[in-house]
Amino acid sequence: MLKDNFNDLLSFMVVARERSFTRAAAQLGVSQSALSHAMRNLEARLEMRLLTRTTRSVAPTEVGEQLFMRLSPHLLEIEQELTAVRDMRDKPAGNIRITAGEHAMSAVLWPILKPFMAQYPDIHIEVTVDNGLTDIVDGRFDAGVRLGEQVAKDMIAVRIAPDMRMVVVGSPAYLSQHGVPEMPEQLQHHRCINMRLPTRGGLYAWEFERDGREMRVRVEGQLTLNSLPQRLDAAEAGLGLAYVPEDSALQAIADGRLVRVLDEWCPSFDGYHLYYPSRRQHTTAFTLLVEALRKSSVIA
């Protein structure tokens, strides 16, 4: 009964507004006879006459006019809410929280986020830069960014960057003074710029591979830095050799400010992935961001 009343009341509102069965039927997508039948059924259930009909026109009765005036604000509110829902589809909105490492943020996320946020001004994004392996569930993040090998098996992982590699670089002045290492183990006799691991607190052992032979070298030096730009700057200043993502050093290498060494010992490995819990329902805003990041890896 409630459903019938609602549908018929909606039809009545259109008839009362248009003062015409012909125009109202066209808007509602029904026949004039079906619309007239619905109005008679509504009047019968309410036991009152709502419309005055003539051969040329239709108009609300006094009771019908009062009903129309009372329901109009509510109908307008419903239409506004439906419009807002459609706008959410056409103009996605919402909040997204992401955690990512320093290099992932600068090399992958930020170049995509800038045009993405300009395209969707109602989507608000918060990025926490953290080089540790953050638990995104405990931290209430929607997603995180890690290298493919670091993503837990119970997460959905979407590749957002191509394979990457690390390189050992030093300034021409440093290499001229201290020599060029030919083997990874020779790094133990060089001044190297260390990086402390955020998860365990130890110093990162530089990883190498060649012809199936893997090697981890614990280096020593005067300086330990967690910031990638500072490690690059320190290497350019001749303070030692640095082990950095290749893409971060390409410009300095091209300009001659840095020189790569042990290149044949630096293999490629799985690049960055966006990861998130498989059980979580996602908003349109989140889905759009995932797609934008996924496409970036294809373009790259």
Side-chain angles (χ1 to χ4, degrees):
M1 178 66 74
L2 179 61
K3 180 180 178 181
D4 291 338
N5 280 338
F6 183 80
N7 290 338
D8 290 347
L9 280 172
L10 178 61
S11 297
F12 162 75
M13 295 294 292
V14 178
V15 173
R17 183 182 63 201
E18 296 299 325
R19 306 294 177 101
S20 166
F21 275 105
T22 302
R23 291 193 297 271
Q27 289 189 25
L28 294 168
V30 299
S31 65
Q32 293 185 47
S33 59
L35 182 57
S36 179
H37 180 71
M39 293 300 94
R40 285 195 294 271
N41 285 341
L42 177 62
E43 290 175 328
R45 288 196 299 273
L46 296 178
E47 297 182 351
M48 59 182 63
R49 191 174 180 183
L50 301 176
L51 296 168
T52 299
R53 304 165 180 83
T54 67
T55 55
R56 295 185 178 182
S57 66
V58 59
T61 63
E62 182 178 353
V63 173
E65 185 68 26
Q66 291 179 3
L67 181 62
F68 176 79
M69 296 301 293
R70 289 176 180 175
L71 292 182
S72 288
H74 302 292
L75 182 61
L76 177 60
E77 184 177 351
I78 292 172
E79 289 178 341
Q80 289 173 340
E81 291 299 325
L82 291 174
T83 299
V85 170
R86 287 194 295 269
D87 286 345
M88 288 180 63
R89 179 196 64 193
D90 300 331
K91 298 179 181 179
N95 300 314
I96 303 173
R97 297 186 71 234
I98 303 174
T99 176
E102 180 184 37
H103 178 251
M105 175 59 176
S106 62
V108 180
L109 277 180
W110 189 235
I112 301 303
L113 288 181
K114 285 190 290 185
F116 180 85
M117 296 184 72
Q119 183 178 0
Y120 301 108
D122 294 322
I123 297 179
H124 299 270
I125 298 177
E126 176 185 346
V127 181
T128 298
V129 176
D130 183 358
N131 291 323
L133 300 181
T134 304
D135 186 325
I136 60 173
V137 176
D138 286 346
R140 298 184 181 276
F141 290 98
D142 296 294
V145 178
R146 290 182 189 170
L147 297 174
E149 62 187 24
Q150 297 174 331
V151 177
K153 299 298 183 182
D154 61 343
M155 294 284 174
I156 292 179
V158 178
R159 177 183 280 274
I160 61 173
D163 286 351
M164 58 182 292
R165 67 196 295 256
M166 302 289 285
V167 292
V168 181
V169 293
S171 70
Y174 174 89
L175 295 172
S176 176
Q177 181 179 355
H178 299 279
V180 177
E182 301 292 337
M183 297 289 291
E185 52 263 43
Q186 293 176 354
L187 291 170
Q188 295 174 342
H189 306 295
H190 280 266
R191 297 167 60 187
C192 297
I193 302 165
N194 259 310
M195 180 181 71
R196 191 170 299 281
L197 293 170
T199 50
R200 300 182 183 89
L203 297 178
Y204 173 63
W206 295 9
E207 300 173 88
F208 301 97
E209 181 183 343
R210 183 179 181 184
D211 300 328
R213 178 188 175 191
E214 297 182 0
M215 186 180 302
R216 296 169 66 91
V217 180
R218 296 196 176 276
V219 299
E220 295 183 1
Q222 182 184 12
L223 191 60
T224 300
L225 294 168
N226 279 354
S227 169
L228 175 58
Q230 288 180 335
R231 295 206 308 276
L232 287 164
D233 188 54
E236 289 187 33
L239 298 178
L241 300 176
Y243 194 50
V244 297
E246 182 181 37
D247 65 288
S248 67
L250 287 178
Q251 189 59 57
I253 293 171
D255 295 342
R257 291 177 282 123
L258 289 175
V259 177
R260 67 173 84 205
V261 298
L262 298 172
D263 202 42
E264 66 276 13
W265 282 91
C266 300
S268 299
F269 53 89
D270 211 5
Y272 289 119
H273 287 63
L274 185 82
Y275 67 99
Y276 48 90
S278 58
R279 63 181 179 275
R280 183 170 296 174
Q281 296 296 321
H282 300 297
T283 63
T284 300
F286 183 81
T287 301
L288 286 170
L289 179 59
V290 171
E291 184 63 14
L293 290 167
R294 186 191 65 80
K295 287 182 178 178
S296 72
S297 70
V298 175
I299 295 173

